[in-house]
Amino acid sequence: MRYSFALIAILAVSFSCSHSGGNSLTKAEKTLISGSGPVMRVLTVDDPSDSIFLRGKSFDFSDRDLKGKYYRDLAGKMVSTVTDPSEDGVGIAGPQVGIARRIIAVQRFDKEGEPFEVYPNVRIESLSGDIVTGPEGCLSVPGKRGSVPRYSKVVISYKDPLTLKTVRETVEGFTAVIFQHETDHLEGVLYTDRIISSDPD
Ligand SMILES: [Zn+2]
């Protein structure tokens, strides 16, 4: 009897969470965001505790947090981090800077000027097109590259932090590969899990 009551309570909590769009940022997350300079420390698989963190799942931001300073600061710092000459990547995901939230910054090679853009509460809705195998690397797996098969077309969804509306977009080509690599991080998946051959270059 007590067990079934507890189960109902858990179901009710998870139902209400999905409606509010995720739990609020924790004190530890806020401290990490506000305590970092413009360039955040990138977690790597070379460090045992980083490695465990990179294998965890990430969670949505609440609507309230998407409107707030910490989200804006995190988004800006993630772009500063991935574009810093010491990193020089084409994409980065929340867990790579120690924040287990569904946020990625992606270089939009399919847009004029190839800007970096940030996507909160992002998901891959569908994968289609040809499967193309290409070389990948990762800021969290230093000094390695490998060949990974990826779909050439994705439909992504994310929440616009200004309107709080869910936006869907179709992305193709190399930028679609970056979206697949970065959203994998949000599930604790690294490209090395999908590698089909090591690239000596
Ligand atoms: Zn990566």
Side-chain angles (χ1 to χ4, degrees):
M1 207 56 167
R2 186 175 285 181
Y3 172 77
S4 60
F5 179 78
L7 188 63
I8 289 163
I10 288 164
L11 287 172
V13 166
S14 50
F15 183 73
S16 68
C17 284
S18 68
H19 266 250
S20 66
N23 291 322
S24 299
L25 286 169
T26 64
K27 199 170 180 183
E29 288 173 322
K30 288 179 177 176
T31 302
L32 178 55
I33 295 165
S34 61
S36 299
V39 176
M40 299 179 80
R41 184 179 81 84
V42 175
L43 280 62
T44 73
V45 295
D46 296 342
D47 179 280
S49 63
D50 284 3
S51 199
I52 291 166
F53 191 87
L54 287 165
R55 290 308 189 165
K57 286 210 180 235
S58 292
F59 301 92
D60 281 337
F61 292 89
S62 67
D63 287 354
R64 189 188 160 95
D65 279 332
L66 283 178
K67 290 274 191 190
K69 174 186 183 304
Y70 289 101
Y71 169 76
R72 281 196 304 278
D73 284 355
L74 175 62
K77 288 180 182 190
M78 282 176 64
V79 172
S80 300
T81 303
V82 69
T83 55
D84 189 75
S86 68
E87 300 293 351
D88 196 24
V90 296
I92 194 165
Q96 292 184 277
V97 293
I99 302 289
R101 298 282 170 173
R102 298 194 73 90
I103 179 172
I104 62 174
V106 171
Q107 188 166 13
R108 294 298 303 254
F109 288 99
D110 54 340
K111 289 189 177 180
E112 181 84 38
E114 302 181 348
F116 274 85
E117 293 183 352
V118 178
Y119 301 89
N121 296 3
V122 64
R123 285 179 172 75
I124 300 271
E125 296 289 332
S126 67
L127 299 154
S128 60
D130 297 334
I131 294 173
V132 180
T133 298
E136 286 183 34
C138 179
L139 303 181
S140 294
V141 189
K144 287 211 170 112
R145 288 182 78 70
S147 293
V148 182
R150 300 281 191 188
Y151 287 90
S152 56
K153 191 170 172 179
V154 296
V155 176
I156 59 154
S157 70
Y158 62 96
K159 201 164 230 190
D160 184 319
L162 298 176
T163 64
L164 298 178
K165 292 209 164 90
T166 298
V167 180
R168 281 186 178 72
E169 190 185 344
T170 303
V171 182
E172 295 182 62
F174 182 54
T175 309
V177 173
I178 304 173
F179 272 101
Q180 288 166 80
H181 178 118
E182 301 309 334
T183 52
D184 268 355
H185 275 297
L186 308 179
E187 311 298 337
V189 173
L190 299 176
Y191 85 93
T192 45
D193 302 342
R194 299 187 184 276
I195 231 161
I196 55 166
S197 69
S198 288
D199 187 339
D201 301 325

